[in-house]
Amino acid sequence: MMGEQLMPYSRIDRLPTDFFDSEAISVESLRDAWLEQRDSLANQGTLGDFNQRLIRRWAIETGIIERIYSLDRGTTEILVQKGLDASLIEHGASDLPPGELVTILNDHRCAAESVMHHVGGQRPMTLHFIKSIHGILTRHQNDVEAEDQFGNLVRVPSRRGEWKLLPNNPRRTDSSVHEYCPPE
């Protein structure tokens, strides 16, 4: 399209050999701060609640970022604090019916918990695991928004647990295009 800016994709480079030396102090500082906070939450008996709210926030933000649904900020905060319950969603707070939205949110919550469990067990990230997480994320998502060659928004079938076949480069509000990793 005329005037369109493309933010080109580039392969991820290896970290510089001195990365860990230069970043170690700030990473250790963050780790120490988190461990102190985690211990404080655990001592207060609120670590489990904190983790559940964090996972609910990730679940909600995942679908918003991917434009699977819209959800207003107030409802987002209520669902994070109180739980993923359709009765907490007011009419017009989302572009999906509350029951459908909560079903998708629970899929995203399940995927986040699976990743946390996997990483917590220090298991390797395999291709199979990544595809299975995608399958969980999209379990109740039949289609996705796409743009055809003429710039029209269309719905195409979701490919659960499979690699993409075509480029999917999102357009930003300033009309620039952010190029994601190509299918190959």
Side-chain angles (χ1 to χ4, degrees):
M1 293 187 170
M2 192 167 272
E4 177 179 289
Q5 296 176 314
L6 182 65
M7 301 178 75
Y9 167 77
S10 61
R11 288 195 160 284
I12 297 172
D13 294 327
R14 290 194 178 278
L15 291 173
T17 55
D18 65 346
F19 173 80
F20 292 105
D21 295 336
S22 64
E23 296 296 318
I25 293 172
S26 62
V27 169
E28 286 177 15
S29 175
L30 285 172
R31 184 200 66 214
D32 292 346
W34 163 242
L35 291 175
E36 184 179 313
Q37 183 66 31
R38 185 191 67 186
D39 290 346
S40 173
L41 291 169
N43 290 337
Q44 297 169 25
T46 58
L47 182 59
D49 291 340
F50 171 83
N51 286 334
Q52 287 305 306
R53 285 191 308 273
L54 181 62
I55 287 172
R56 286 193 297 264
R57 182 170 303 282
W58 288 342
I60 293 167
E61 299 291 337
T62 297
I64 292 172
I65 289 169
E66 291 296 323
R67 294 177 47 189
I68 297 168
Y69 49 78
S70 64
L71 186 62
D72 68 43
R73 178 57 50 198
T75 305
T76 295
E77 294 306 320
I78 289 169
L79 294 175
V80 166
Q81 293 303 317
K82 302 209 179 260
L84 304 178
D85 183 338
S87 69
L88 299 172
I89 303 170
E90 291 184 14
H91 178 73
S94 175
D95 55 348
L96 292 181
E100 183 179 346
L101 176 63
V102 168
T103 297
I104 292 171
L105 290 175
N106 278 318
D107 290 343
H108 292 189
R109 180 192 48 75
C110 183
E113 287 174 345
S114 294
V115 170
M116 296 289 284
H117 180 72
H118 193 85
V119 171
Q122 298 183 342
R123 288 179 280 187
M125 286 286 182
T126 63
L127 294 178
H128 172 75
F129 179 72
I130 292 168
K131 286 181 175 184
S132 70
I133 291 300
H134 184 262
I136 293 169
L137 281 169
T138 59
R139 183 173 24 215
H140 291 96
Q141 186 183 343
N142 296 323
D143 52 33
V144 295
E145 184 179 86
E147 186 176 304
D148 67 15
Q149 70 270 27
F150 305 111
N152 301 311
L153 293 180
V154 296
R155 303 298 296 180
V156 297
S158 178
R159 296 176 44 85
R160 293 183 189 94
E162 297 182 35
W163 300 124
K164 63 185 180 180
L165 298 175
L166 300 169
N168 64 323
N169 304 315
R171 184 174 315 282
R172 296 182 171 185
T173 55
D174 66 357
S175 295
S176 65
V177 175
H178 182 86
E179 187 178 11
Y180 283 170
C181 176
E184 61 275 2

